[in-house]
Amino acid sequence: MILSPSLLSADCGKLAQTLQELEQAGVKWVHWDVMDGHFVPNMTFGQHVIKGLRAASGLFFDVHLMIERPERYLADFRAAGADMLVVHAEATTHLQRTLAEIRRLGMKAGVALNPSTPLCVLDYVLDDVDMALVMSVNPGFGGQKFLPATFRKVAELRAKLNAAGRSDCLVQVDGGVNLENTKALTEAGADVLVSGSAFFGHPPFSERLAAFMAAAGC
Ligand code: DX5
Ligand code: ZN
């Protein structure tokens, strides 16, 4: 299991320090929640902030774009140092083109699905994705309650990917992930868990990372 802490729950006044502390604690990925106030009812940071912090960190930058028409900004996020861009299937009209462009720019490509979005939207882009993100809350805010229908959705997604010969495609879960649901999520087939409040609310980072890994049986 890979844990990707969401900086949405970190102290924005000391992000450079936090990134260094995460790395020292043994974290490998970090999750950036980019929100535009349109696709979701909240705003956060964008490519300029990520670019400014790239030099402070060797972590894998997992960038979750909760923005309308993300295709407008793919090259900007590449220049900012993103390693993976995850776009919402609901936010881009030409999903396959957007995913192909992310890969062409040299990044890993991911698709996020809102809780009510069916898995079939992935049926004809299975060869174009490196990761599928199952939202386990409606996106926009940290600290929300995990939606239990996610367990079945993750299991069905993992089965769909394996049946399509894409057992290498990562499954990520984001929203309300905590020590209590980590085991069931990994057993259902999740590879990458995002955690905001349940991670940053319980320092020190090294111990919290160890607790998540133990919960996942790693
Ligand atoms: C929600 C974001 C999540 C959020 C997770 O819109 O995409 O990444 O930060 O936070 P928690 O773990 O607190 O639900
Ligand atoms: Zn997210």
Side-chain angles (χ1 to χ4, degrees):
M1 187 273 280
I2 298 169
L3 186 72
S4 192
S6 164
L7 293 171
L8 189 60
S9 294
D11 179 351
C12 276
K14 51 173 193 174
L15 284 178
Q17 183 186 331
T18 299
L19 286 167
Q20 285 162 0
E21 288 173 5
L22 288 170
E23 209 164 338
Q24 282 159 10
V27 167
K28 303 293 183 208
W29 285 35
V30 69
H31 186 84
W32 295 87
D33 284 307
V34 177
M35 303 186 188
D36 66 353
H38 292 276
F39 181 68
V40 289
N42 197 4
M43 292 193 286
T44 54
F45 33 70
Q47 65 271 38
H48 299 295
V49 171
I50 294 174
K51 188 172 190 174
L53 288 157
R54 180 69 272 189
S57 176
L59 293 171
F60 184 86
F61 278 14
D62 155 31
V63 179
H64 179 192
L65 297 179
M66 285 164 278
I67 64 177
E68 292 287 357
R69 296 169 58 210
E71 58 274 14
R72 295 174 291 169
Y73 301 108
L74 306 180
D76 289 349
F77 280 99
R78 180 53 173 160
D83 295 298
M84 172 179 278
L85 284 187
V86 180
V87 296
H88 269 264
E90 307 87 0
T92 183
T93 305
H94 305 290
L95 178 60
Q96 194 282 334
R97 177 188 288 158
T98 302
L99 294 169
E101 181 64 6
I102 292 171
R103 281 183 164 177
R104 193 190 68 76
L105 289 165
M107 296 174 283
K108 299 285 187 193
V111 180
L113 304 180
N114 280 335
S116 64
T117 301
L119 294 175
C120 62
V121 303
L122 297 172
D123 280 357
Y124 303 102
V125 293
L126 288 175
D127 290 334
D128 302 294
V129 290
D130 300 294
M131 188 174 79
L133 166 51
V134 177
M135 288 304 303
S136 37
V137 298
N138 290 290
F141 303 94
Q144 299 184 83
K145 197 170 175 306
F146 180 88
L147 295 167
T150 307
F151 294 121
R152 184 165 62 90
K153 197 172 185 183
V154 169
E156 289 175 5
L157 172 57
R158 175 42 71 200
K160 179 190 280 283
L161 290 168
N162 291 354
R166 290 303 319 276
S167 55
D168 60 309
C169 181
L170 296 172
V171 172
Q172 185 178 58
V173 180
D174 183 9
V177 172
N178 55 38
L179 292 182
E180 288 67 48
N181 53 31
T182 285
K183 185 169 193 286
L185 286 171
T186 50
E187 283 177 354
D191 306 290
V192 186
L193 297 182
V194 175
S195 175
S197 49
F199 181 84
F200 284 100
H202 303 270
F205 297 159
S206 57
E207 287 179 23
R208 201 58 177 169
L209 173 64
F212 268 101
M213 298 313 277
C218 298

